[in-house]
Amino acid sequence: MKKYLVTGAMGFIGSHWCEHLLSQGHKVYGIDIYNSYPKLNKHKNFIFIQDSITNLKVMKEYINKSDYVFHFASIAEPKQYIDSPRKVISVAGIAALNIIDFCRMAEKKIMFTSTSEIYGKNPKLPFNENDDRVLGPTSTKRWCYSSSKALAEHYLYACSDTKELDFIIVRLFNVYGPRLKGRVVSNYVNNCISNQDIYINNGGNQTRAFTYIDDVIDAFDLLFKNSKCLNNDFNIGNIKETSINDLAKLVLKVSESESNIIKIKDSEYYGKSYEDIDRRVPDVSKIKKFVKWKPKTSLRNGIKKMIDYSRKN
Ligand SMILES: NC(=O)c1ccc[n+]([C@@H]2O[C@H](COP(=O)([O-])OP(=O)(O)OC[C@H]3O[C@@H](n4cnc5c(N)ncnc54)[C@H](O)[C@@H]3O)[C@@H](O)[C@H]2O)c1
Protein backbone atom coordinates (compact mmCIF):
# COMPACT_ATOMS: atom_id res chain seq x y z
CA MET A 1 0.00 0.00 0.00
CA LYS A 2 1.43 3.40 -1.06
CA LYS A 3 0.95 6.53 1.04
CA TYR A 4 -0.03 9.70 -0.78
CA LEU A 5 -0.39 13.27 0.43
CA VAL A 6 -3.11 15.30 -1.29
CA THR A 7 -3.31 19.02 -0.48
CA GLY A 8 -6.68 20.65 -1.06
CA ALA A 9 -8.15 17.16 -0.48
CA MET A 10 -11.66 18.41 0.25
CA GLY A 11 -11.79 20.64 -2.84
CA PHE A 12 -13.34 19.79 -6.18
CA ILE A 13 -10.41 18.12 -7.94
CA GLY A 14 -8.68 17.01 -4.71
CA SER A 15 -11.71 15.09 -3.45
CA HIS A 16 -12.19 13.27 -6.77
CA TRP A 17 -8.49 12.37 -6.84
CA CYS A 18 -8.58 11.14 -3.21
CA GLU A 19 -11.53 8.89 -4.07
CA HIS A 20 -9.60 7.53 -7.03
CA LEU A 21 -6.47 6.75 -4.96
CA LEU A 22 -8.57 5.18 -2.19
CA SER A 23 -10.42 3.02 -4.74
CA GLN A 24 -7.02 1.65 -5.77
CA GLY A 25 -6.27 0.55 -2.19
CA HIS A 26 -3.83 3.31 -1.20
CA LYS A 27 -3.54 5.26 2.02
CA VAL A 28 -4.26 8.98 1.60
CA TYR A 29 -3.27 11.84 3.88
CA GLY A 30 -5.57 14.68 2.90
CA ILE A 31 -4.94 18.23 4.09
CA ASP A 32 -7.44 21.08 3.76
CA ILE A 33 -8.60 24.03 5.82
CA TYR A 34 -12.23 22.98 5.37
CA ASN A 35 -13.93 19.65 5.97
CA SER A 36 -16.18 20.32 2.98
CA TYR A 37 -16.55 16.75 1.68
CA PRO A 38 -16.91 14.75 4.92
CA LYS A 39 -17.81 11.59 2.97
CA LEU A 40 -14.05 11.03 2.51
CA ASN A 41 -13.60 10.63 6.27
CA LYS A 42 -15.70 7.47 6.19
CA HIS A 43 -12.94 5.68 4.28
CA LYS A 44 -10.65 3.69 6.58
CA ASN A 45 -7.52 4.56 4.55
CA PHE A 46 -8.19 8.31 4.53
CA ILE A 47 -6.52 10.46 7.17
CA PHE A 48 -7.77 14.03 7.26
CA ILE A 49 -5.52 16.81 8.51
CA GLN A 50 -7.62 19.92 8.96
CA ASP A 51 -4.96 22.59 8.68
CA SER A 52 -3.45 25.13 6.32
CA ILE A 53 -0.71 24.31 3.86
CA THR A 54 1.00 27.41 5.26
CA ASN A 55 1.68 25.41 8.47
CA LEU A 56 5.25 24.42 7.66
CA LYS A 57 5.65 21.96 10.54
CA VAL A 58 2.61 19.97 9.46
CA MET A 59 3.55 20.06 5.78
CA LYS A 60 7.07 18.82 6.49
CA GLU A 61 5.79 16.00 8.71
CA TYR A 62 3.27 14.67 6.16
CA ILE A 63 5.52 15.11 3.13
CA ASN A 64 8.14 13.04 4.95
CA LYS A 65 5.54 10.32 5.65
CA SER A 66 4.30 10.11 2.04
CA ASP A 67 5.55 8.36 -1.08
CA TYR A 68 4.27 11.04 -3.46
CA VAL A 69 2.75 14.50 -3.05
CA PHE A 70 -0.22 15.84 -5.04
CA HIS A 71 -0.29 19.56 -4.47
CA PHE A 72 -3.77 20.85 -5.37
CA ALA A 73 -4.57 23.38 -2.59
CA SER A 74 -4.93 26.87 -3.97
CA ILE A 75 -7.27 29.77 -4.29
CA ALA A 76 -8.84 29.01 -7.65
CA GLU A 77 -11.92 31.24 -7.85
CA PRO A 78 -11.41 34.23 -10.18
CA LYS A 79 -13.40 36.56 -7.91
CA GLN A 80 -10.78 36.04 -5.20
CA TYR A 81 -7.90 37.13 -7.47
CA ILE A 82 -9.49 40.57 -7.29
CA ASP A 83 -10.86 40.54 -3.73
CA SER A 84 -7.93 38.84 -1.93
CA PRO A 85 -4.74 39.01 -4.03
CA ARG A 86 -2.44 38.75 -1.01
CA LYS A 87 -4.14 35.50 0.04
CA VAL A 88 -3.91 34.17 -3.53
CA ILE A 89 -0.17 34.91 -3.70
CA SER A 90 0.44 33.45 -0.20
CA VAL A 91 -1.35 30.19 -0.95
CA ALA A 92 -0.86 29.65 -4.70
CA GLY A 93 2.70 31.01 -4.73
CA ILE A 94 4.56 31.21 -1.42
CA ALA A 95 3.08 28.08 0.21
CA ALA A 96 3.72 26.14 -3.01
CA LEU A 97 7.41 27.10 -2.94
CA ASN A 98 7.73 25.79 0.63
CA ILE A 99 5.99 22.54 -0.29
CA ILE A 100 8.29 22.09 -3.28
CA ASP A 101 11.29 22.70 -1.01
CA PHE A 102 10.14 20.05 1.49
CA CYS A 103 9.66 17.59 -1.41
CA ARG A 104 13.13 18.43 -2.66
CA MET A 105 14.73 17.87 0.75
CA ALA A 106 12.81 14.63 1.39
CA GLU A 107 13.30 13.42 -2.22
CA LYS A 108 9.55 13.04 -2.81
CA LYS A 109 7.96 13.30 -6.23
CA ILE A 110 5.32 15.98 -6.65
CA MET A 111 2.42 16.60 -9.04
CA PHE A 112 1.53 20.30 -9.21
CA THR A 113 -1.78 21.60 -10.53
CA SER A 114 -1.10 24.65 -12.67
CA THR A 115 -3.48 26.41 -14.99
CA SER A 116 -4.37 27.51 -18.50
CA GLU A 117 -4.12 31.03 -17.05
CA ILE A 118 -0.34 30.57 -17.38
CA TYR A 119 -0.69 31.54 -21.08
CA GLY A 120 -2.60 34.71 -20.17
CA LYS A 121 -3.95 36.53 -23.19
CA ASN A 122 -1.57 35.10 -25.79
CA PRO A 123 -3.56 35.33 -29.05
CA LYS A 124 -1.72 32.35 -30.58
CA LEU A 125 -4.03 29.34 -30.39
CA PRO A 126 -4.12 26.53 -29.45
CA PHE A 127 -1.77 26.96 -26.45
CA ASN A 128 1.24 24.68 -26.64
CA GLU A 129 3.21 24.00 -23.42
CA ASN A 130 6.16 26.03 -24.76
CA ASP A 131 4.12 29.05 -25.82
CA ASP A 132 4.75 32.51 -24.43
CA ARG A 133 3.04 33.89 -21.40
CA VAL A 134 1.32 37.17 -22.31
CA LEU A 135 0.09 39.01 -19.24
CA GLY A 136 -1.10 42.44 -18.21
CA PRO A 137 0.58 44.76 -15.69
CA THR A 138 1.18 43.75 -12.06
CA SER A 139 -1.16 46.58 -11.03
CA THR A 140 -4.02 44.56 -12.56
CA LYS A 141 -4.83 42.13 -9.76
CA ARG A 142 -6.27 39.32 -11.88
CA TRP A 143 -2.78 38.30 -13.06
CA CYS A 144 -1.62 37.46 -9.51
CA TYR A 145 -2.94 33.89 -9.83
CA SER A 146 -1.22 33.19 -13.14
CA SER A 147 2.05 34.68 -11.86
CA SER A 148 1.92 32.74 -8.57
CA LYS A 149 1.43 29.46 -10.44
CA ALA A 150 4.23 30.41 -12.86
CA LEU A 151 6.62 31.10 -10.00
CA ALA A 152 5.94 27.61 -8.60
CA GLU A 153 6.48 26.13 -12.09
CA HIS A 154 9.82 27.98 -12.39
CA TYR A 155 10.85 26.65 -8.99
CA LEU A 156 9.98 23.06 -9.97
CA TYR A 157 12.10 23.39 -13.11
CA ALA A 158 14.94 24.97 -11.10
CA CYS A 159 14.97 22.11 -8.56
CA SER A 160 14.86 19.46 -11.27
CA ASP A 161 17.71 21.17 -13.18
CA THR A 162 19.97 20.44 -10.24
CA LYS A 163 18.60 16.86 -10.11
CA GLU A 164 17.15 17.44 -6.66
CA LEU A 165 13.49 16.87 -7.50
CA ASP A 166 11.14 15.01 -9.86
CA PHE A 167 7.83 16.64 -10.73
CA ILE A 168 4.87 16.68 -13.08
CA ILE A 169 3.08 19.94 -13.87
CA VAL A 170 -0.50 19.68 -15.10
CA ARG A 171 -1.98 22.81 -16.66
CA LEU A 172 -5.73 22.45 -16.33
CA PHE A 173 -8.31 24.01 -18.62
CA ASN A 174 -11.70 24.80 -16.99
CA VAL A 175 -12.39 21.53 -15.23
CA TYR A 176 -16.04 21.01 -14.26
CA GLY A 177 -18.18 18.31 -12.68
CA PRO A 178 -19.96 17.40 -9.45
CA ARG A 179 -18.81 19.38 -6.40
CA LEU A 180 -17.33 22.29 -8.39
CA LYS A 181 -17.98 25.60 -6.61
CA GLY A 182 -17.68 29.28 -7.50
CA ARG A 183 -16.84 28.87 -11.19
CA VAL A 184 -18.91 29.67 -14.28
CA VAL A 185 -20.24 26.12 -14.87
CA SER A 186 -21.25 25.56 -11.24
CA ASN A 187 -22.87 29.01 -11.03
CA TYR A 188 -24.96 28.28 -14.15
CA VAL A 189 -25.94 24.77 -13.06
CA ASN A 190 -26.93 25.85 -9.54
CA ASN A 191 -28.90 28.86 -10.75
CA CYS A 192 -30.63 26.96 -13.54
CA ILE A 193 -31.84 24.13 -11.32
CA SER A 194 -33.36 26.68 -8.95
CA ASN A 195 -34.70 28.85 -11.82
CA GLN A 196 -32.60 31.88 -10.80
CA ASP A 197 -31.14 34.34 -13.32
CA ILE A 198 -27.77 33.47 -14.82
CA TYR A 199 -25.20 36.18 -15.59
CA ILE A 200 -22.92 36.52 -18.60
CA ASN A 201 -19.98 38.92 -18.27
CA ASN A 202 -18.30 40.70 -21.11
CA GLY A 203 -20.64 39.76 -23.98
CA GLY A 204 -20.30 35.98 -23.71
CA ASN A 205 -18.31 35.45 -26.92
CA GLN A 206 -15.21 34.57 -24.88
CA THR A 207 -14.44 30.86 -25.16
CA ARG A 208 -13.18 28.15 -22.80
CA ALA A 209 -12.22 24.48 -23.17
CA PHE A 210 -14.50 22.84 -20.59
CA THR A 211 -13.04 19.55 -19.39
CA TYR A 212 -14.97 16.95 -17.42
CA ILE A 213 -13.48 15.83 -14.09
CA ASP A 214 -13.45 12.08 -14.92
CA ASP A 215 -11.27 12.76 -17.97
CA VAL A 216 -8.88 14.79 -15.79
CA ILE A 217 -8.64 12.01 -13.20
CA ASP A 218 -7.81 9.56 -16.02
CA ALA A 219 -5.07 11.90 -17.20
CA PHE A 220 -3.54 12.26 -13.70
CA ASP A 221 -3.54 8.48 -13.30
CA LEU A 222 -1.80 7.89 -16.63
CA LEU A 223 0.78 10.62 -16.00
CA PHE A 224 1.86 9.79 -12.46
CA LYS A 225 2.24 6.07 -13.19
CA ASN A 226 4.57 6.67 -16.13
CA SER A 227 8.14 7.64 -15.18
CA LYS A 228 8.74 9.01 -18.70
CA CYS A 229 6.39 11.87 -17.81
CA LEU A 230 8.56 13.17 -14.96
CA ASN A 231 9.96 16.70 -15.17
CA ASN A 232 7.46 17.79 -17.79
CA ASP A 233 4.46 20.07 -18.05
CA PHE A 234 1.24 18.90 -19.69
CA ASN A 235 -1.88 20.68 -20.87
CA ILE A 236 -5.04 18.83 -19.82
CA GLY A 237 -8.09 20.17 -21.57
CA ASN A 238 -10.86 19.65 -24.05
CA ILE A 239 -9.93 20.65 -27.56
CA LYS A 240 -13.48 21.80 -28.28
CA GLU A 241 -13.84 25.53 -27.78
CA THR A 242 -17.17 26.69 -26.31
CA SER A 243 -18.34 30.25 -25.87
CA ILE A 244 -19.89 31.34 -22.59
CA ASN A 245 -23.08 32.18 -24.51
CA ASP A 246 -23.27 28.59 -25.80
CA LEU A 247 -22.49 27.20 -22.36
CA ALA A 248 -25.35 29.24 -20.84
CA LYS A 249 -27.78 28.06 -23.54
CA LEU A 250 -26.71 24.43 -23.09
CA VAL A 251 -27.14 24.47 -19.30
CA LEU A 252 -30.58 26.09 -19.71
CA LYS A 253 -31.62 23.46 -22.23
CA VAL A 254 -30.30 20.38 -20.43
CA SER A 255 -31.76 21.50 -17.08
CA GLU A 256 -35.06 22.54 -18.76
CA SER A 257 -34.80 25.69 -16.68
CA GLU A 258 -36.87 28.85 -16.79
CA SER A 259 -33.92 31.03 -15.76
CA ASN A 260 -33.25 34.28 -17.62
CA ILE A 261 -29.87 35.14 -19.07
CA ILE A 262 -28.69 38.58 -17.91
CA LYS A 263 -25.71 40.25 -19.59
CA ILE A 264 -23.47 42.37 -17.38
CA LYS A 265 -20.14 44.16 -17.69
CA ASP A 266 -17.02 42.61 -16.10
CA SER A 267 -16.64 45.69 -13.95
CA GLU A 268 -20.08 45.11 -12.40
CA TYR A 269 -19.10 41.62 -11.25
CA TYR A 270 -15.36 41.82 -10.66
CA GLY A 271 -14.68 45.52 -10.17
CA LYS A 272 -12.01 47.43 -12.09
CA SER A 273 -8.95 45.20 -11.68
CA TYR A 274 -10.16 42.50 -14.04
CA GLU A 275 -9.40 41.73 -17.62
CA ASP A 276 -11.01 38.82 -19.44
CA ILE A 277 -9.16 36.31 -21.60
CA ASP A 278 -10.92 36.05 -24.98
CA ARG A 279 -10.07 32.51 -25.96
CA ARG A 280 -8.50 29.51 -24.30
CA VAL A 281 -7.81 26.35 -26.26
CA PRO A 282 -5.22 23.71 -25.36
CA ASP A 283 -2.90 21.87 -27.67
CA VAL A 284 -2.99 18.37 -26.14
CA SER A 285 -0.58 16.69 -28.52
CA LYS A 286 2.09 16.34 -25.79
CA ILE A 287 -0.06 14.39 -23.32
CA LYS A 288 -1.45 12.35 -26.22
CA LYS A 289 2.08 11.44 -27.29
CA PHE A 290 3.28 10.56 -23.76
CA VAL A 291 0.28 8.60 -22.43
CA LYS A 292 -2.27 8.45 -25.27
CA TRP A 293 -4.79 10.56 -23.31
CA LYS A 294 -7.66 12.41 -24.86
CA PRO A 295 -10.88 13.72 -23.32
CA LYS A 296 -13.92 11.47 -23.80
CA THR A 297 -16.85 13.30 -22.20
CA SER A 298 -18.95 15.66 -24.33
CA LEU A 299 -19.97 18.93 -22.72
CA ARG A 300 -23.64 17.95 -22.95
CA ASN A 301 -23.06 14.63 -21.12
CA GLY A 302 -20.83 16.27 -18.50
CA ILE A 303 -23.39 19.01 -17.83
CA LYS A 304 -26.14 16.39 -17.58
CA LYS A 305 -24.14 14.41 -14.97
CA MET A 306 -23.45 17.59 -13.02
CA ILE A 307 -27.12 18.62 -13.04
CA ASP A 308 -28.20 15.13 -11.91
CA TYR A 309 -25.68 15.25 -9.06
CA SER A 310 -26.68 18.78 -7.98
CA ARG A 311 -30.39 17.87 -7.97
CA LYS A 312 -29.72 14.84 -5.75
CA ASN A 313 -27.49 16.78 -3.36
N1 LIG B 1 -11.00 23.58 -11.55
C1 LIG B 1 -10.34 24.12 -12.54
O1 LIG B 1 -10.89 24.38 -13.61
C2 LIG B 1 -8.87 24.44 -12.43
C3 LIG B 1 -8.25 25.01 -13.53
C4 LIG B 1 -6.90 25.31 -13.45
C5 LIG B 1 -6.19 25.00 -12.31
N2 LIG B 1 -6.83 24.45 -11.24
C6 LIG B 1 -6.02 24.15 -10.05
O2 LIG B 1 -6.36 22.87 -9.56
C7 LIG B 1 -6.29 22.86 -8.12
C8 LIG B 1 -7.60 22.39 -7.53
O3 LIG B 1 -8.63 23.29 -7.96
P1 LIG B 1 -10.15 23.06 -7.60
O4 LIG B 1 -10.93 23.49 -8.78
O5 LIG B 1 -10.33 21.71 -7.02
O6 LIG B 1 -10.36 24.17 -6.47
P2 LIG B 1 -11.11 24.08 -5.08
O7 LIG B 1 -11.24 25.48 -4.59
O8 LIG B 1 -12.35 23.26 -5.20
O9 LIG B 1 -10.10 23.28 -4.17
C9 LIG B 1 -9.00 23.87 -3.55
C10 LIG B 1 -8.97 23.38 -2.13
O10 LIG B 1 -7.83 23.97 -1.48
C11 LIG B 1 -8.19 24.29 -0.17
N3 LIG B 1 -7.32 25.33 0.37
C12 LIG B 1 -7.28 26.63 0.03
N4 LIG B 1 -6.37 27.27 0.77
C13 LIG B 1 -5.82 26.33 1.58
C14 LIG B 1 -4.82 26.37 2.57
N5 LIG B 1 -4.21 27.51 2.90
N6 LIG B 1 -4.50 25.22 3.21
C15 LIG B 1 -5.13 24.05 2.91
N7 LIG B 1 -6.09 23.97 1.97
C16 LIG B 1 -6.43 25.09 1.32
C17 LIG B 1 -9.64 24.76 -0.27
O11 LIG B 1 -10.29 24.69 0.99
C18 LIG B 1 -10.20 23.81 -1.30
O12 LIG B 1 -10.81 22.68 -0.68
C19 LIG B 1 -5.87 24.27 -7.72
O13 LIG B 1 -4.48 24.31 -7.55
C20 LIG B 1 -6.27 25.11 -8.91
O14 LIG B 1 -5.48 26.27 -9.00
C21 LIG B 1 -8.15 24.16 -11.26
Side-chain angles (χ1 to χ4, degrees):
M1 180 196 283
K2 292 274 187 194
K3 288 172 282 178
Y4 295 119
L5 175 63
V6 179
T7 73
M10 293 285 171
F12 165 53
I13 298 174
S15 62
H16 283 275
W17 182 240
C18 286
E19 285 181 331
H20 176 78
L21 292 175
L22 292 165
S23 75
Q24 308 228 316
H26 301 298
K27 181 166 185 166
V28 176
Y29 301 115
I31 182 161
D32 206 301
I33 30 175
Y34 299 117
N35 186 10
S36 44
Y37 186 55
K39 203 176 157 194
L40 277 178
N41 296 303
K42 292 191 182 134
H43 204 290
K44 66 177 176 13
N45 288 334
F46 182 75
I47 292 154
F48 181 44
I49 307 117
Q50 187 157 13
D51 211 323
S52 172
I53 55 163
T54 56
N55 184 336
L56 300 185
K57 190 168 168 281
V58 166
M59 289 316 298
K60 188 174 179 186
E61 179 189 341
Y62 282 94
I63 288 171
N64 285 341
K65 277 186 190 175
S66 305
D67 295 304
Y68 202 120
V69 175
F70 296 94
H71 178 39
F72 298 170
S74 183
I75 310 292
E77 292 174 24
K79 186 91 172 84
Q80 295 210 44
Y81 314 159
I82 312 303
D83 294 346
S84 316
R86 194 171 68 78
K87 191 169 150 198
V88 171
I89 296 164
S90 300
V91 176
I94 299 168
L97 299 185
N98 288 323
I99 289 170
I100 295 165
D101 248 343
F102 287 137
C103 290
R104 179 180 65 78
M105 289 185 277
E107 298 183 10
K108 302 297 161 99
K109 295 184 179 70
I110 178 169
M111 178 183 277
F112 175 69
T113 43
S114 189
T115 169
S116 57
E117 292 250 344
I118 280 285
Y119 304 103
K121 49 188 176 177
N122 189 344
K124 179 193 162 292
L125 289 165
F127 297 144
N128 170 280
E129 284 83 353
N130 289 327
D131 279 338
D132 290 343
R133 304 184 57 231
V134 181
L135 274 74
T138 49
S139 54
T140 300
K141 292 185 233 171
R142 72 101 65 233
W143 303 113
C144 71
Y145 172 71
S146 170
S147 297
S148 300
K149 291 282 188 182
L151 179 61
E153 287 201 16
H154 272 299
Y155 200 53
L156 288 165
Y157 272 107
C159 295
S160 106
D161 263 4
T162 50
K163 309 264 179 266
E164 293 173 282
L165 181 75
D166 286 323
F167 70 83
I168 292 175
I169 292 168
V170 285
R171 292 184 180 158
L172 309 177
F173 284 68
N174 288 77
V175 187
Y176 71 98
R179 308 202 289 277
L180 181 70
K181 284 184 201 138
R183 262 54 72 80
V184 62
V185 184
S186 53
N187 293 344
Y188 288 2
V189 165
N190 292 335
N191 286 14
C192 279
I193 62 177
S194 51
N195 290 319
Q196 293 175 56
D197 295 342
I198 60 173
Y199 295 93
I200 293 182
N201 307 328
N202 199 20
N205 290 324
Q206 65 274 39
T207 65
R208 298 292 181 263
F210 297 104
T211 315
Y212 193 64
I213 184 70
D214 291 359
D215 290 331
V216 173
I217 298 300
D218 284 349
F220 288 178
D221 191 68
L222 290 165
L223 291 170
F224 105 100
K225 286 180 176 162
N226 187 333
S227 59
K228 285 189 191 140
C229 300
L230 287 171
N231 306 320
N232 271 292
D233 45 19
F234 296 94
N235 287 337
I236 299 181
N238 207 325
I239 45 173
K240 187 170 179 319
E241 204 179 350
T242 303
S243 73
I244 300 296
N245 283 329
D246 287 345
L247 173 75
K249 284 185 217 147
L250 183 66
V251 179
L252 273 172
K253 192 168 175 200
V254 177
S255 61
E256 296 174 357
S257 171
E258 288 163 19
S259 298
N260 298 306
I261 294 180
I262 313 276
K263 299 235 174 171
I264 58 171
K265 287 186 193 151
D266 273 350
S267 54
E268 283 175 54
Y269 186 72
Y270 289 113
K272 280 186 191 148
S273 207
Y274 190 77
E275 191 182 346
D276 208 345
I277 294 173
D278 289 341
R279 292 177 70 192
R280 255 187 232 165
V281 189
D283 174 346
V284 291
S285 49
K286 184 170 176 184
I287 184 167
K288 201 169 167 191
K289 183 172 150 221
F290 273 71
V291 293
K292 299 192 169 56
W293 176 86
K294 60 177 186 197
K296 295 181 194 130
T297 314
S298 71
L299 187 56
R300 174 179 289 274
N301 284 346
I303 294 289
K304 172 90 177 60
K305 287 185 197 187
M306 205 171 155
I307 289 169
D308 291 346
Y309 177 88
S310 299
R311 284 204 167 117
K312 272 190 210 136
N313 294 274

